[in-house]
Amino acid sequence: MAQDKFIVVQSTTSTQNSGLLDAILPQFTEKSGIDVRVVAVGTGQAIKNAENGDGDVLLVHAKPAEEKFVADGWGVKRHDVMYNDFVIVGPADDPAGVAGSSDAVAALEKIAESQSAFASRGDDSGTHKAELRLWREAGVDTASASGDWYRETGSGMGATLNTGVGMGAYIMADRATWISFGNKGDHEVLVEGDPKLFNQYGVILVNPDKHPVVKAEEGQAFIDWLLGAEGQAAIADFKVDGQQLFFPNAD
């Protein structure tokens, strides 16, 4: 039946907030007749939802967590889809003096030493996982600073940027959401270009052996399109203010 031709994709706030999915999904639907319904949450929540069988496809950005999802039998196979990068944005007056740095760990050390306000998503998203990994490398215990200079919003990227800009805080964001974000105030990108800020996205079919409700055929059709020439071109063609936000690199 025609109305049954849909899949649920558990994805991240960044693919939704940036406008990417709104731009590319109609192209897939037009070609396949399969509607795509997106649940946009942090990566950690998206993975939990997929483990619960609430979705057919997972499109997220936290490779170690994705590999564990497959290893534990929840997913069939993980594929690289596209990448972009994270940036650290902050107020123009830059109280920690990190502007122009391409060393994310050193920048976080300076932010911690100066106890400058830092707004974290604190939501187990892919961005939050990446941020915590960098704090660990910097030797900073964010748990002990929580509620002091280190503030966890428990929110998505857009909401955290709003909060951070409002309080004059530093924020680590994915570049796509930052470019698309309309309320930048006097905040600007201060730290970028560190290989440690690389941000890879992966796509996985939820395992129908674990959840027989998974629409494996339709879900695989979407994955094949995303990894194929048309999907990869659609990702590359998506721009905001003339800037490409995601870079296709399907394996």
Side-chain angles (χ1 to χ4, degrees), residues 10-11 41-50 52 58 123-125:
Q10 290 284 344
S11 191
V41 288
T43 285
Q45 187 60 53
I47 289 173
K48 284 194 186 82
N49 293 349
N52 291 335
L58 187 62
D123 65 348
D124 194 34
S125 59

Side-chain angles (χ1 to χ4, degrees), residues 14 26 28 59 95-96 103 111 144-145 154 174-175 185 204:
S14 57
F28 169 70
L59 175 60
D103 185 334
I111 290 168
S144 65
D174 67 281
R175 191 187 293 270
I204 304 168

Side-chain angles (χ1 to χ4, degrees), residues 76-206:
V76 176
K77 188 182 179 189
R78 185 201 168 279
H79 304 271
D80 283 344
V81 181
M82 60 189 183
Y83 67 90
N84 58 11
D85 63 340
F86 296 112
V87 292
I88 296 174
V89 302
D93 64 355
D94 187 25
V98 299
S101 173
S102 59
D103 185 334
V105 171
L108 292 181
E109 286 170 355
K110 282 185 166 181
I111 290 168
E113 280 163 16
S114 61
Q115 300 204 348
S116 302
F118 186 98
S120 168
R121 284 177 60 167
D123 65 348
D124 194 34
S125 59
T127 304
H128 182 224
K129 290 174 190 286
E131 179 220 307
L132 289 180
R133 186 177 71 242
L134 293 170
W135 283 118
R136 283 195 296 273
E137 278 195 51
V140 175
D141 178 12
T142 52
S144 65
S146 179
D148 186 13
W149 58 268
Y150 185 79
R151 305 289 180 87
E152 290 138 311
T153 68
S155 303
M157 196 71 257
T160 299
L161 283 168
N162 262 325
T163 301
V165 167
M167 59 190 275
Y170 293 94
I171 312 125
M172 181 166 138
D174 67 281
R175 191 187 293 270
T177 305
W178 173 250
I179 289 170
S180 309
F181 182 65
N183 183 32
K184 293 183 173 74
D186 75 337
H187 274 51
E188 51 198 48
V189 173
L190 300 178
V191 182
E192 62 183 329
D194 187 332
K196 289 176 179 173
L197 293 171
F198 180 77
N199 181 27
Q200 177 69 52
Y201 287 77
V203 68
I204 304 168
L205 181 70
V206 180

Side-chain angles (χ1 to χ4, degrees), residues 25-78:
L25 294 181
Q27 298 176 51
F28 169 70
T29 299
E30 187 179 344
K31 175 166 189 183
S32 65
I34 300 167
D35 193 35
V36 182
R37 301 176 186 178
V38 179
V39 179
V41 288
T43 285
Q45 187 60 53
I47 289 173
K48 284 194 186 82
N49 293 349
E51 286 177 357
N52 291 335
D54 298 329
D56 306 295
V57 173
L58 187 62
L59 175 60
V60 290
H61 62 142
K63 194 169 179 179
E66 294 161 39
E67 288 171 338
K68 183 176 189 305
F69 178 82
V70 173
D72 291 347
W74 298 110
V76 176
K77 188 182 179 189
R78 185 201 168 279

